[in-house]
Amino acid sequence: MGSQPFSVFKLSTLILHLIPILFASRSLAAEAGCETDPVSKEIICEFTPNPSYCKSMLPNQTNNVYDYGRYAVRKSLSQSHKLLNLVNKYLQRNSTLSKTAILALEDCKLLAELNVDFLASSLQTLNDSNRTLPSSKAEDVHTWLSAVLTNQQTCLDGVQATSSSSWRSMKNGLLLSNNTNLYSVSLALFTKGWVPENEEEEEREEEGEVITWRKRLLQNFGDVLVRETVTVSQDGSGNFTTITDAVAAAPVNTKGLNGYFLIYIKAGVYEEYVNIANTKNYLMMIGEGINQTVITGNRSVVDGWTTFNSATFVVIAPWFVAVNITFRNTAGAIKHQAVAVRNGGDLSAFYNCSFEGYQDTLYTHSQRQFYRDCNVYGTVDFIFGNAAAVFQKCNIYPRLPMRGQFNAITAQGRADPNQNTGIMIHNCTIRASDDLASDKGTTRTYLGRPWKEYSRTVYMKSFMDGCIDRDGWSKWTGDFALSTLYYAEYKCQGPGSNTSRRVTWPGYHILKKAKQVKKFTVSKFLLGKKWLPQTGVPFSGGLI
């Protein structure tokens, strides 16, 4: 990342004026089994980030929160279809557009297609319920609607970065800002009507692992259900010589009951651009180890790619798992944004993997993600995006950037206060890479900076070496997001963890009690106990 942030929303001060009768204890949510009372749109809209827009788009008749919410999601689905049709229309005129404009449009097309799917799935769930949803169903819809906003923002970022005159004339026609407001209203009304209150479950801190996995899976796949195994080997001794061909052979739209399609990748350097498309769910890749099985590419923004499609390896499908693989982008610091992995796969997990690049190494784009025992190397904003992502027992290595640059480990992109997203760094080690260490402290390295207005990042019980600047965190530009972001540190160690001279922004917090960070653990933030056991990846649900 590195461009001027796009601020979509400003919190309304009216959010503070609660209506005690209509919204007592649970805002507008009804008791289980009972419908909420009808309420005017003027009242319901005060609980959205953009009340004036909300009032303009909701119908005039009085409804309850569920009817308003379904109306907003239906309208959002309709607008996503319109945007998709419009993008397709523009792509048909591509002879007048630059390469960068065409790539930006293709990004928008993919993202609009995903939004149609997410909104249709959300509406199907919401049509069946006039009550708060069970936590797992609520989290699914919350994730989808959050991803819809993220996808829209990604499309908008690509549009803003394109400067050709022929493309500028189309920007207003896409009505991206209006769609963003609409999706924000849908998300806000969903959280008011269908999301249950947080349940305070007693959970002990786990000292051991839920699954002792490494040896069992590599020997006989242990408790992980595998439907089929294929091998990729460059010497022709396997089923395929390229990873791309193996992915193409994987079944589409499979169910978890059938198990994973496992691609075993023998040692070698694979110069490929691999895309795990949305239909290739329940796909698992196992390599022969970090720096043994390597997937590498060199696309970058300087060479004409958008940040979104500069990635060497892309995950869109849900239930993806990768083990023992190195992912690289070798474009180098001089090529600016150059992504090694872009991950938008829901319920995805990476174990014992390495992500290597400089600026924008790991794009945690959207949905729920888990990283365990991984290495991440980079310089500027090298863990960025708007997923709900937890990094546990990972090694994070800031590298030496270009002259005049500083390092920012994270650039989290939460653009709406109702999104369930953030970057959680738990029991990790942050240590300067060899080239940065030899720089003898002349490069400033920060824990993060706010890419979007509600950026959220928490470091919990992690080790920070002396490369971390005493301020801890960096501004994006001016005072942007300093009062709306949520940055926190909890019981970190090491010479870079001293918080006595940290920034004093309103959104920065030094946390001292376990209950303050419990909601950011694997069990709470990702509901990890419900889905990670099936992947076979080890994890600790509570604080380590």
Side-chain angles (χ1 to χ4, degrees):
M1 305 326 303
S3 58
Q4 181 75 14
F6 178 75
S7 175
V8 180
F9 310 120
K10 294 292 182 183
L11 274 177
S12 169
T13 55
L14 292 173
I15 291 177
L16 300 176
H17 300 293
L18 299 179
I19 312 297
I21 297 177
L22 290 175
F23 301 100
S25 77
R26 190 45 198 85
S27 297
L28 288 176
E31 295 181 1
C34 299
E35 293 184 5
T36 55
D37 294 330
V39 60
S40 71
K41 68 178 182 179
E42 285 73 21
I43 291 177
I44 192 66
C45 285
E46 299 303 338
F47 294 86
T48 67
N50 192 331
S52 60
Y53 175 81
C54 174
K55 293 171 191 175
S56 72
M57 56 79 54
L58 287 181
N60 289 325
Q61 65 265 32
T62 299
N63 287 314
N64 60 43
V65 65
Y66 301 112
D67 290 334
Y68 282 131
R70 282 186 286 264
Y71 176 89
V73 174
R74 281 196 300 270
K75 190 173 180 65
S76 295
L77 179 58
S78 175
Q79 286 300 107
S80 291
H81 278 293
K82 289 179 181 179
L83 175 60
L84 180 57
N85 291 336
L86 190 57
V87 169
N88 283 328
K89 179 181 176 182
Y90 287 163
L91 280 171
Q92 292 172 2
R93 307 176 187 170
N94 61 19
S95 60
T96 64
L97 298 175
S98 66
K99 173 189 172 182
T100 305
I102 293 171
L103 289 173
L105 274 175
E106 289 175 345
D107 292 348
C108 288
K109 178 180 178 178
L110 169 63
L111 295 162
E113 289 171 342
L114 292 172
N115 280 356
V116 167
D117 290 342
F118 293 153
L119 287 163
S121 296
S122 298
L123 189 58
Q124 183 177 8
T125 300
L126 302 185
N127 279 339
D128 295 334
S129 177
N130 265 17
R131 56 189 296 173
T132 57
L133 294 168
S135 59
S136 58
K137 280 192 173 184
E139 193 64 16
D140 284 345
V141 178
H142 203 168
T143 296
W144 297 333
L145 294 181
S146 294
V148 165
L149 265 171
T150 301
N151 291 343
Q152 184 74 6
Q153 186 65 58
T154 303
C155 173
L156 182 56
D157 287 342
V159 168
Q160 290 182 317
T162 304
S163 58
S164 68
S165 58
S166 58
W167 175 237
R168 280 197 299 269
S169 65
M170 298 182 187
K171 290 180 180 179
N172 291 336
L174 290 172
L175 298 175
L176 294 172
S177 296
N178 282 345
N179 283 3
T180 302
N181 287 329
L182 176 58
Y183 300 154
S184 176
V185 170
S186 297
L187 177 59
L189 296 181
F190 164 75
T191 60
K192 292 302 175 189
W194 284 275
V195 175
E197 291 183 274
N198 291 329
E199 298 176 4
E200 291 298 326
E201 301 173 358
E202 292 297 324
E203 293 182 6
R204 61 183 177 85
E205 291 192 9
E206 298 156 2
E207 297 178 358
E209 308 303 341
V210 174
I211 297 176
T212 306
W213 177 88
R214 187 195 306 255
K215 291 182 179 178
R216 282 216 309 270
L217 183 57
L218 293 180
Q219 291 173 356
N220 58 14
F221 309 118
D223 297 327
V224 177
L225 183 61
V226 175
R227 62 180 293 168
E228 185 179 354
T229 303
V230 298
T231 300
V232 177
S233 179
Q234 290 176 321
D235 63 9
S237 62
N239 305 95
F240 303 95
T241 57
T242 69
I243 300 167
T244 300
D245 286 344
V247 171
V252 298
N253 298 321
T254 61
K255 304 297 182 184
L257 294 176
N258 298 324
Y260 283 94
F261 182 86
L262 174 60
I263 301 175
Y264 185 78
I265 309 171
K266 289 190 175 182
V269 178
Y270 295 83
E271 296 182 6
E272 298 184 48
Y273 295 96
V274 181
N275 189 341
I276 313 301
N278 193 39
T279 57
K280 299 287 183 175
N281 50 318
Y282 290 99
L283 192 151
M284 179 180 288
M285 289 184 176
I286 300 179
E288 293 195 333
I290 290 174
N291 293 330
Q292 297 301 309
T293 298
V294 179
I295 305 173
T296 184
N298 63 0
R299 290 175 178 170
S300 69
V301 167
V302 169
D303 287 337
W305 301 91
T306 65
T307 300
F308 186 76
N309 58 37
S310 70
T312 301
F313 192 93
V314 172
V315 181
I316 303 174
W319 290 99
F320 175 80
V321 179
V323 184
N324 294 347
I325 300 173
T326 291
F327 303 92
R328 286 182 185 151
N329 190 313
T330 61
I334 197 170
K335 293 299 180 76
H336 296 281
Q337 296 96 328
V339 176
V341 169
R342 187 187 87 227
N343 185 11
D346 197 20
L347 309 175
S348 58
F350 288 77
Y351 176 50
N352 197 41
C353 290
S354 186
F355 307 89
E356 301 177 8
Y358 287 85
Q359 183 170 347
D360 289 6
T361 302
L362 177 54
Y363 195 171
T364 58
H365 182 263
S366 57
Q367 306 206 77
R368 293 164 286 188
Q369 310 177 8
F370 180 64
Y371 301 82
R372 171 71 179 225
D373 294 333
C374 292
N375 301 330
V376 191
Y377 296 81
T379 56
V380 180
D381 306 336
F382 64 95
I383 302 174
F384 76 109
N386 196 26
V390 175
F391 293 78
Q392 196 172 84
K393 289 193 173 183
C394 293
N395 298 306
I396 298 172
Y397 296 107
R399 307 175 86 169
L400 185 66
M402 290 193 299
R403 185 184 298 273
Q405 287 185 326
F406 61 84
N407 288 334
I409 295 173
T410 64
Q412 205 283 324
R414 187 166 170 254
D416 187 284
N418 290 306
Q419 288 180 305
N420 63 344
T421 55
I423 295 173
M424 307 300 145
I425 311 291
H426 180 204
N427 198 227
C428 294
T429 297
I430 297 96
R431 196 182 302 276
S433 63
D434 291 343
D435 61 349
L436 182 62
S438 65
D439 187 48
K440 298 181 180 180
T442 60
T443 296
R444 305 187 76 172
T445 298
Y446 300 96
L447 299 173
R449 60 179 185 150
W451 181 26
K452 302 297 180 184
E453 192 166 0
Y454 296 92
S455 183
R456 180 162 63 177
T457 302
V458 181
Y459 286 79
M460 302 175 283
K461 302 184 78 171
S462 293
F463 176 86
M464 304 174 183
D465 82 356
C467 72
I468 300 301
D469 189 87
R470 68 186 186 185
D471 288 344
W473 306 82
S474 175
K475 296 179 180 180
W476 189 272
T477 180
D479 62 355
F480 171 74
L482 301 188
S483 61
T484 51
L485 60 77
Y486 185 92
Y487 287 168
E489 297 176 58
Y490 172 75
K491 289 190 176 180
C492 293
Q493 297 178 326
S497 68
N498 188 333
T499 57
S500 63
R501 303 185 73 172
R502 288 293 198 247
V503 295
T504 57
W505 308 336
Y508 171 69
H509 307 274
I510 300 170
L511 305 179
K512 297 183 178 180
K513 297 180 180 179
K515 66 180 181 181
Q516 294 175 295
V517 292
K518 183 179 178 181
K519 63 184 177 181
F520 300 125
T521 60
V522 168
S523 290
K524 291 293 187 180
F525 193 63
L526 297 180
L527 295 184
K529 286 186 176 179
K530 296 182 182 296
W531 62 274
L532 276 170
Q534 181 174 338
T535 69
V537 174
F539 68 94
S540 292
L543 289 170
I544 301 173

